[in-house]
Amino acid sequence: GIQVEQSPPDLILQEGANSTLRCNFSDSVNNLQWFHQNPWGQLINLFYIPSGTKQNGRLSATTVATERYSLLYISSSQTTDSGVYFCAAMRDSGYSTLTFGKGTMLLVSP
Amino acid sequence: KAGVTQTPRYLIKTRGQQVTLSCSPISGHRSVSWYQQTPGQGLQFLFEYFSETQRNKGNFPGRFSGRQFSNSRSEMNVSTLELGDSALYLCASSLAGLAGVYSYNEQFFGPGTRLTVL
């Protein structure tokens, strides 16, 4: 099946700093999503981005499908951005099966 | 529009028992998928249902089973619980249509059921 790798595994920032999280995937995809897992475990949708660039406030994401990677940018980090960020990809196989990376644990300190 | 709901939110069982978890998808969504999250294995796909049919299954033993009802609500069952089944179980729904025909298949997750097996 498809492999999804995220980097870095851990990231510590000071409030106000910018960061880039990377997601590499091993096969062509028809779905690429970024999630933020809240302290209670729920996966919050950040972006649905199988290709192209999207922005939502301080967050933006870019997926270059031909080179099989996606980037999540967080600008002007806030302490509330802390948590685990997951990238998940779905192969172009006809089934709704997401393969998740291991996540990036982000800690933003005041 | 209401999001994906899961019940119960927390569950404590003992080894050997069985458990049933429930998931109600977003209205209009016909695809429901289940995932298990553990610290050691991360997020792993269990199975996916569409129109009451299991379309895909992950690499889990037969003790894990599921079904989907005509209203798209889904249940998963774990029989003969083991300590290693302790996990957060997440359900996701999407508008995904027939296999091979996708224009938009964003997955939306419920809050999860945290199962503890003692």
Side-chain angles (χ1 to χ4, degrees):
Chain A
I2 190 171
Q3 308 297 316
V4 178
E5 294 183 355
Q6 290 186 244
S7 60
D10 303 282
L11 191 55
I12 301 174
L13 300 172
Q14 281 217 301
E15 206 166 22
N18 302 329
S19 60
T20 301
L21 281 58
R22 186 177 179 102
C23 171
N24 293 331
F25 44 93
S26 62
D27 208 340
S28 61
V29 298
N30 63 26
N31 179 355
L32 191 291
Q33 290 185 245
W34 285 96
F35 298 93
H36 180 207
Q37 189 163 39
N38 69 20
W40 298 272
Q42 184 160 9
L43 291 171
I44 307 301
N45 289 41
L46 297 177
F47 293 101
Y48 169 78
I49 187 163
S51 63
T53 297
K54 291 185 178 180
Q55 179 152 11
N56 184 5
R58 295 181 297 103
L59 273 60
S60 64
T62 294
T63 297
V64 183
T66 53
E67 296 187 24
R68 297 181 182 168
Y69 73 89
S70 183
L71 301 173
L72 176 68
Y73 305 97
I74 304 174
S75 64
S76 303
S77 300
Q78 301 176 357
T79 55
T80 52
D81 294 331
S82 296
V84 184
Y85 290 80
F86 287 102
C87 164
M90 184 184 296
R91 283 185 63 189
D92 192 10
S93 65
Y95 299 118
S96 295
T97 303
L98 283 173
T99 298
F100 283 81
K102 294 188 183 302
T104 292
M105 169 74 82
L106 174 64
L107 177 61
V108 181
S109 58
Chain B
K1 186 182 275 191
V4 179
T5 59
Q6 292 187 243
T7 57
R9 294 293 311 279
Y10 302 91
L11 209 47
I12 299 175
K13 292 285 188 178
T14 57
R15 279 180 298 175
Q17 288 187 308
Q18 75 166 19
V19 66
T20 299
L21 312 181
S22 180
C23 171
S24 292
I26 292 171
S27 177
H29 286 193
R30 295 166 66 189
S31 169
V32 174
S33 301
W34 289 88
Y35 294 82
Q36 181 197 63
Q37 185 177 26
T38 59
Q41 300 299 317
L43 279 148
Q44 294 185 287
F45 169 75
L46 279 157
F47 26 65
E48 187 233 354
Y49 287 87
F50 178 80
S51 291
E52 302 178 64
T53 300
Q54 186 181 92
R55 289 203 297 190
N56 200 10
K57 189 177 192 304
N59 189 23
F60 279 82
R63 300 185 296 106
F64 291 81
S65 63
R67 58 178 175 169
Q68 186 180 34
F69 302 95
S70 58
N71 61 358
S72 294
R73 188 177 71 86
S74 177
E75 289 181 348
M76 68 163 281
N77 184 77
V78 187
S79 62
T80 319
L81 284 166
E82 301 177 359
L83 296 179
D85 297 333
S86 294
L88 178 66
Y89 290 88
L90 294 164
C91 162
S93 76
S94 79
L95 279 170
L98 295 172
V101 182
Y102 288 95
S103 60
Y104 180 73
N105 56 10
E106 183 175 6
Q107 306 283 306
F108 295 87
F109 282 80
T113 294
R114 194 168 294 276
L115 171 65
T116 301
V117 182
L118 303 176

